[in-house]
Each structure stands twice: as C-alpha cells, then as structure tokens.
C-alpha cells in the first residue's frame, strides 16, 4: 500500500502513513427519558413476540403425541375418535368445514363491504357519514356470541322458507342445493360468520378507498362522469390491493370464528358438497365442543387441529399484510 | 342585484363553434366566508378569455363555478347564474353530467389516470359518459395531435400514462378533455407545471383550438395572457373583502390602456 500513494494535487511525503477511510460508527447518547421510554416500548414489543413463541411451542409440544399416533392420516381422516383405543381421527372434515364456511362468508363479506365502504365515502349525505362510520365500528364491537344467537334465533328461521324453496326447486338440478334437512348448514353458518367479518373488512376498505387521490376523482367528474363512473375508474382501481388485503383479514377472522359454528351446527364429521344440508363442523367449533370431554390423546389431537388452523390463518394474515403494504406503497 | 345590466349577445354571426358562457352576478362563499362578489363576465365563443389577478382573489373558485365543480367542496355555496348558450347550468334543464361534459376543465396539476394507458386516457371521457367512438384510433390520434402530444407518444399508446413527464401529462389531459367535444374548455394555470417548450406548445394549441372551443384560462403569466387571449378580466380581493372583477375588456386595452390604476399596477408588475 505504501508503494502506491494516492494520486492527487497534494503529494504526501514518503513517511506519511496512508489512512484508509471507513465510515465511523455514530452513537447518540440518549437522555434519561428516552432510555426509559425505549425500555418500556421494547419490553412491550417483546411481550408480543414471547407470547407468540410460547403459544407455538405449547401447541407443537402438546400436538406431538397425536400426530405420532395418526401420522399422515391426521390430514386425510374425517372421523374424530381419538380417545377410543385404536380410534381413527383427523382434521379433513373440520378443515373442509372451515374452508367452506370461510368461503361462503367471503361471498357475502366482500361485495357487501365494498358497497358499504363506497356508499359511506362517496354517496352518503355528509350528515350520515360520521354516523355510518361509527355504526360499522360498533358492529365490530358486538360479541360474536350475540351474532351467533341472533343468527340462530332470528336470521335462520327468517331464511328458512327461502332455503326450503331453493332446496325443493333447485335440489334436483344442482347438487349443492340437495338436502334432507335444512337449518344448521354450512351455508347458514357461513352467512352468520360473514356478519362478523363484514365490520372489520368494511372499515379497512373505507379507510383505503378514502385515500383515492381527489384530483383524479375531480378529473373524472370534470369529464362528465357520474359518481359511479368516477368510483369505477379512479377509486376502485386505486383501492384494489387494499381491498384484497382487507378481504383476507376478514377471511382470517372468519376462519378462526368459533361461536357461530358451535351454536348453529348439528355436528357431522363429513366432507359433502350439499351446502344447505344440516350438519358440519369447523376446526374452531370442533375444539370448542370436544375440549371438555377429551382425555389425553383427545386433547393432543385438538391441539394439533388448532395448530393447523393457526398455521393457515397466520399464512393468510401474512399474505394480507404484504398485499396491503404493497398496495399502500404503490398508491404513494 | 345589479346583475341584469349586462347585455348578452349569444346570436353571433355564423362564425366560430363553441358555446358562449355568461356569468351573471356570481358570488361565492366557503362556509361563512365570502370569496367572490357579483362577478359578471361574458366569455364569447371563438375567443380566449384570460382571468388574471393576484393569488387568492378567487379565479379558481370562479372557474370551478362555471362547470359546477365548486359544489364538490363541502360547505361551498354560490349565488347568481351561469348561462351556457342562454341556458342556466344550475337549472333543471341541463343535467349535471351534461354540464361538465360540455364545459371541460384542465387542472393546474396534471391529473391523468396514471394506471390507464395513454390511449385509454384519451377516450376515458367517452367511456365515462357512456358513449363509444366510431373510430377509436382516429379519435385518439386527432385529440393527441390537437394537444400537440401525438409525435411524442405515438409509439407507446398502450403504455401507462403515469410514465409521462409532467408536461406530457398536462397535454394528455388537454387531449382527454377534447375527446368529449366540449363547447367550452376551462384551464386553470395549465402551464404552471410546464417547461418553456411545453408551455409554448400548449399556447399554440390554445390558439388552434379557439375556433372550435370557447376557452377560459387562468394565468399568472402576463405575457401569456397577452399572447393567447382576446379578452381579459382582472380579479382583485382587497383586504378582508371578497374578490371582484376590477376591470375587463379586450386584452389589448386592459394591458395597454387600463382604466383602473390598480389594473395598471398589476399588469405592470407593481403589485404587492
Ligand atoms: N376548499 C376551500 N375551502 C375554503 N376556502 C377556500 C377553498 N378553496 C379556496 N378557498 C379560499 O377562497 C379564496 C379564493 O381562492 P382561489 O383558489 O379561488 O384563488 P385563486 O385566485 O385561484 O388563487 P391562486 O392564484 O393562488 O390559484 C382564497 O381566499 C381561498 O383561501
Ligand atoms: Mg387558483
């Protein structure tokens, strides 16, 4: 290195050591208040992480005996008899029920949430806006047991004649409408679950769509667009990513929802396409129902089912967060 | 209350196309605050009318009243009327969307639909007003040519409009406005975000368009007002009072022989 002194207007003498530059580390001495504040926030954040880790470890450890016993059949078996000697058990039916009710819930949640969000933002008279926004938030605060009870005692009896009609007239044509008895079906459970997913989905969508650039909206209106034309060309394309993310958060909510399925389903561990027929089960409701009466291996099996649900919901939330994040960055 | 002293001549000789816009006794408020008072201006077809005046005197507000964009602002109110070829745009005879289609607007800040392609941006107004062009490609080319943007974008009509420069975006917005064949085109400082070359292009465009479309332009650039406009109105909001038109008339006269000393001060750049 000394043989090649740096070239430049200033020549260094032969004895001068050549200094190689490295970025210095920057330290800031925090004030006492800042240090306390940092400690408090750090430990709060750590609590969240530690809780997640502890729950995961607990789930995995308790699930091991059941998984060891069932092996891969845990994912393909529909029956649930873990506590009987050599009884077979698996989450196939519960997983199916979770997916189907979640999907049905989304079929209602997504369009209703989009329409409500657009209405509040773009159509509602100014006097109504605040009230409606609050109403959506209040709806989110209603305990799920109340939704479930109301669904069971009011909504489902109300829908009964219509479902009967659909089953009678369409049952022979489309197999999804076939049913011997109706009332506590995948469809009804999914519908009630959607009532619980709608508030969170709507309120996120409303917030996202409210960010649509006003000057682009004005550009559309100045061309002679109707409100709906403006919503279609500016607001919805702008909010697409955010709406997908909001829907997935709603789906996460729907998959984990316990009360509606527990209260409404007449339990049946089967995989069937007949959406209006009595009987079904979801992972969350299966755990809720069997938890008390399960013995060792039964508990272990329930925890394994819970871990599977946790994993699925976690993946969906992770994906949703990424979609919302990307949409937000694209919007900026 | 002195609104009806204005004599309007809408039955011009069989000359230029475009509509005559006649503002009669226009006042405007934002909430309790009055920002415009008793503005009477006739904007003739075949002419470019320039609105000049210091910042905050209500030029944009007035312009937005002309095509009913003012009412989008919460708590914004107005008085007076705006006649398009004799018909009140705030009356029931004209639908709101029809008013806005016939009286187009180019905003200060370019606002194309960024994710849409350049060509789709041009035809967006037609789609939005539920119409279908007979020959889409021809229309796109015609409008882009009239906005003097064609040569720069002819090779990438399907590229998203968000990828254009600010000046190109502004000319795209002009093309987009022209595609719905408005009778009047309102321009709110259309060149404030543009470089000198783009500005000159837009000014040329204005000159070519004025035979077909009545143009009303807000500008802070005195040279520009003189270059492009035939008539000129000088707005002024004196301390704590709403904006008023101090003087209006042929551009030449307003700039060379202003009657009001305040106009003279402003057009000669001697204003605070
Ligand atoms: N959305 C609004 N809410 C409340 N007040 C407003 C609003 N828009 C404009 N104003 C007020 O109305 C007055 C006129 O504003 P306007 O934008 O019309 O002025 P301008 O002449 O266009 O100014 P500039 O040359 O700076 O664009 C200003 O005093 C402004 O503060
Ligand atoms: Mg302005």
């Amino acid at each position: 290195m000394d043989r090649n002194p740096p070239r430049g207007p200033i020549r260094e003498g032969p004895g001068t050591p050549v200094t190689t530059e490295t970025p210095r580390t920057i330290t800031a001495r925090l004030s006492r208040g800042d240090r306390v504040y940092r400690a408090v926030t750090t430990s709060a954040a750590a609590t969240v992480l530690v809780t997640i880790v502890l729950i995961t470890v607990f789930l995995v450890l308790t699930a091991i005996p059941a998984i060891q016993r069932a092996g891969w059949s845990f994912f393909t078996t529909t029956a649930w008899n873990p506590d009987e000697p050599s009884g077979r058990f698996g989450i196939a039916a519960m997983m199916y029920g979770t997916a189907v009710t979640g999907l049905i819930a989304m079929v209602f949640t997504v369009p209703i949430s989009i329409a409500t969000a657009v209405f509040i933002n773009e159509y509602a008279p100014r006097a109504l806006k605040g009230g409606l926004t609050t109403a959506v938030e209040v709806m989110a605060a209603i305990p799920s047991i109340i939704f479930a009870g109301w669904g069971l005692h009011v909504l489902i009896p109300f829908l009964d004649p219509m479902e009967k009609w659909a089953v009678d007239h369409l049952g022979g044509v489309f197999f999804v409408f076939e049913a011997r008895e109706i009332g506590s079906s995948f469809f009804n459970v999914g519908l009630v679950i959607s009532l619980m997913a709608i508030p969170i989905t709507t309120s996120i969508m409303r917030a996202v769509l409210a960010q649509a650039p006003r000057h682009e909206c004005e550009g559309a209106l100045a061309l002679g667009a109707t409100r709906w034309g403006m919503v279609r060309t500016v607001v919805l394309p702008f909010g697409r990513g955010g709406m997908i993310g909001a829907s997935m958060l709603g789906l996460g909510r729907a998959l984990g929802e316990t009360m509606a399925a527990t209260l409404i389903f007449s339990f049946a561990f089967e995989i069937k396409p007949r959406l209006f027929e009595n009987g079904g089960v979801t992972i969350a409701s299966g755990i809720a129902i069997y938890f008390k009466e399960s013995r060792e291996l039964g508990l272990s099996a329930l925890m394994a089912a819970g871990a599977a649900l946790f994993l699925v919901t976690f993946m969906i939330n992770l994906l949703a967060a990424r979609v919302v994040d990307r949409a937000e960055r694209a919007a900026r | 209350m002195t609104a009806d002293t204005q004599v309007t001549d809408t039955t011009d000789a069989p000359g230029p196309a475009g509509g005559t816009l006649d503002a009669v006794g226009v006042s405007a408020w934002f909430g309790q605050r009055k920002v415009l008072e008793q503005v009477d201006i006739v904007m003739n077809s075949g002419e470019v009318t320039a609105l000049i005046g210091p910042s905050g005197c209500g030029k944009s507000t007035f312009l937005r009243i002309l095509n009913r964009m003012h009412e989008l602002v919460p708590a914004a109110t107005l008085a007076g009327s705006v006649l398009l070829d004799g018909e009140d745009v705030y009356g029931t005879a004209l639908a709101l969307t029809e008013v806005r289609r016939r009286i187009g607007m180019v905003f200060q800040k370019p606002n194309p639909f960024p994710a849409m392609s350049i060509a789709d941006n041009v035809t967006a107004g037609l789609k939005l007003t539920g119409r279908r062009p007979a020959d889409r490609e021809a229309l796109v080319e015609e409008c882009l040519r009239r906005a003097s943007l064609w040569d720069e974008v002819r090779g990438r009509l399907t590229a998203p409009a968000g990828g254009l420069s600010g000046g190109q975006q502004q000319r795209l917005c002009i093309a987009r406005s022209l595609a719905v064949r408005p009778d009047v085109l309102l321009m709110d400082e259309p060149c404030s975000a543009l470089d000198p070359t783009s500005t000159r292009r837009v000014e040329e465009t204005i000159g070519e368009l004025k035979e077909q479309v009545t143009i009303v332009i807000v500008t802070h650039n005195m040279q520009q007002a003189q270059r492009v406009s035939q008539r000129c109105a000088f707005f002024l909001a004196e301390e704590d009072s709403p904006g008023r038109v101090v003087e209006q008339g042929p551009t030449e006269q307003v700039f060379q022989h202003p009657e009001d000393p305040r106009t003279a001060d402003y057009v000669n750049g001697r204003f605070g």
Side-chain angles (χ1 to χ4, degrees), chain B residues 25-262:
Chain B
V26 168
S27 301
W29 294 261
F30 287 106
Q32 295 298 312
R33 204 166 135 243
K34 194 171 192 182
V35 297
L36 271 183
E37 188 165 75
Q38 290 292 327
V39 176
D40 297 280
I41 303 179
V42 180
M43 290 143 281
N44 287 315
S45 58
E47 284 183 347
V48 176
T49 305
L51 311 180
I52 58 171
S55 182
C57 63
K59 307 177 297 293
S60 298
T61 304
F62 177 72
L63 209 62
R64 289 166 61 88
I65 285 173
L66 297 179
N67 71 338
R68 299 195 59 170
M69 297 299 282
H70 180 64
E71 65 208 63
L72 291 175
V73 178
T77 50
L78 75 142
S81 50
V82 176
L83 308 177
L84 174 58
D85 289 334
E87 229 166 343
D88 190 356
V89 303
Y90 286 94
T92 47
L94 286 171
L96 172 60
T97 50
E98 181 66 8
V99 168
R100 294 198 182 131
R101 186 194 65 75
R102 288 179 59 186
I103 308 177
M105 184 165 218
V106 176
F107 296 77
Q108 176 171 1
K109 188 175 163 208
N111 59 353
F113 305 124
M116 240 185 235
S117 77
I118 292 170
D120 285 346
N121 260 277
V122 176
T123 55
L126 290 171
K127 230 176 168 178
L128 282 167
T129 50
R131 288 171 305 162
R132 189 180 287 274
D135 185 349
R136 186 169 176 277
E137 274 162 45
L139 178 78
V140 169
E141 175 168 349
E142 180 211 317
C143 293
L144 287 173
R145 276 193 193 283
R146 285 167 77 193
S148 36
L149 183 60
W150 174 251
D151 293 328
E152 286 156 72
V153 300
R154 62 192 305 171
R156 47 169 167 155
L157 292 174
T158 53
L164 295 175
S165 76
Q168 292 171 330
Q169 289 188 4
Q170 190 63 303
R171 279 175 282 146
L172 179 59
C173 290
I174 294 175
R176 181 177 74 177
S177 300
L178 294 175
V180 296
R181 308 225 180 275
D183 299 326
V184 182
L185 190 57
L186 311 175
M187 304 175 115
D188 194 350
E189 300 180 48
C191 302
S192 66
L194 305 192
D195 68 307
T197 316
S198 303
T199 300
R200 201 168 53 244
R201 288 244 181 77
V202 171
E203 286 181 10
E204 284 163 14
T205 305
I206 291 172
E208 289 156 19
L209 288 176
K210 75 168 194 279
E211 298 303 321
Q212 304 139 37
V213 188
T214 309
I215 292 177
V216 185
I217 180 173
V218 172
T219 177
H220 281 290
N221 182 325
M222 294 304 114
Q223 283 77 39
Q224 182 172 65
Q226 283 173 279
R227 282 193 298 265
V228 302
S229 74
Q230 284 73 53
R231 294 182 67 82
C232 182
F234 172 53
F235 283 67
L236 186 62
E238 277 164 325
E239 262 178 67
D240 290 329
S241 62
R244 272 175 255 247
V245 173
V246 170
E247 182 163 357
Q248 62 174 311
T251 303
E252 172 99 10
Q253 185 197 315
V254 172
F255 277 85
Q256 307 308 330
H257 313 287
E259 284 166 9
D260 195 293
R262 293 169 295 178

Side-chain angles (χ1 to χ4, degrees), chain A:
Chain A
M1 260 191 268
D2 281 341
R3 268 171 280 139
N4 289 320
R7 289 206 259 162
I10 302 165
R11 285 280 164 147
E12 288 168 76
T16 321
V18 179
T19 51
T20 43
E21 275 188 312
T22 50
R24 60 176 294 182
T25 43
I26 297 173
T27 49
R29 241 180 74 191
L30 292 178
S31 71
R32 202 160 136 241
D34 257 349
R35 255 176 299 160
V36 171
Y37 189 67
R38 189 171 64 178
V40 170
T41 50
T42 308
S43 37
T47 313
V48 173
L49 277 180
V50 167
T51 311
I52 292 177
V53 170
L54 284 180
I55 287 182
T56 312
V57 168
F58 163 77
L59 274 179
V60 170
L61 286 183
T62 39
I64 283 174
I67 298 279
Q68 272 175 342
R69 165 87 183 273
W72 286 111
S73 79
F74 183 71
F75 298 99
T76 53
T77 308
T78 54
W80 192 260
N81 303 306
D83 282 329
E84 284 165 30
S86 78
R88 291 172 54 74
F89 61 91
I91 55 167
M94 293 199 282
M95 210 40 147
Y96 176 78
T98 304
V100 167
T101 50
L103 228 66
I104 290 171
M106 284 301 104
V107 166
F108 291 103
T109 301
V110 173
I112 290 175
S113 298
I114 293 176
T116 311
V118 167
F119 176 78
I120 293 176
N121 278 348
E122 307 295 344
Y123 289 92
R126 219 156 276 135
L128 255 179
K129 249 179 216 191
L132 277 172
T133 310
T134 318
V136 171
E137 261 127 49
V138 168
M139 191 172 166
I142 296 177
S144 53
I145 183 74
I146 297 193
F147 274 116
W150 180 77
L152 185 63
H153 290 298
V154 181
L155 185 63
I156 293 175
F158 172 77
L159 292 175
D160 191 70
M162 285 168 254
E163 291 186 13
K164 199 165 268 158
W165 185 92
V167 166
D168 286 345
H169 291 80
L170 303 171
V173 192
F174 305 103
F175 57 84
V176 290
F177 286 105
E178 275 168 27
R180 275 161 291 162
E181 271 181 289
I182 62 171
S184 68
S185 55
F186 283 135
F187 180 85
N188 285 344
V189 170
L191 185 66
V192 173
I193 288 179
S194 78
L195 299 179
M196 307 178 203
I198 283 170
I200 177 155
T201 313
T202 303
S203 83
I204 296 173
M205 282 189 185
R206 199 198 59 74
V208 169
L209 295 184
Q211 299 298 313
R214 268 2 258 186
H215 65 285
E216 279 171 40
C217 293
E218 289 201 336
L221 291 177
L223 288 168
T226 56
R227 279 263 153 188
W228 167 236
M230 175 199 89
V231 168
R232 216 184 43 212
T233 38
V234 179
V235 178
L236 293 182
F238 165 87
R240 210 179 53 202
M243 290 193 299
I244 294 173
S247 305
M248 286 163 79
L249 287 176
L251 177 61
R253 171 87 215 261
L255 295 182
E257 177 43 46
T258 314
M259 269 351 276
T262 309
L263 230 60
I264 296 170
F265 266 140
S266 44
F267 279 87
F269 286 80
E270 47 181 325
I271 293 179
K272 58 177 180 186
R274 299 182 293 280
L275 301 183
F276 288 87
E277 187 173 273
N278 270 358
V281 67
T282 62
I283 291 183
S285 61
I287 296 175
I289 282 292
Y290 285 107
F291 203 85
K292 277 201 171 157
E293 59 191 63
S294 290
R295 278 169 286 131
E296 271 158 49
L297 198 68
L299 277 180
S300 168
L302 287 179
M303 284 305 124
L309 177 62
F310 178 48
L311 193 70
V312 170
T313 315
F314 179 74
M315 301 289 265
I316 285 175
N317 276 326
L318 206 68
L319 209 65
R322 283 190 56 175
V323 171
V324 173
D325 198 48
R326 205 159 28 156
E328 267 174 8
R329 244 176 302 132
R332 251 183 264 129

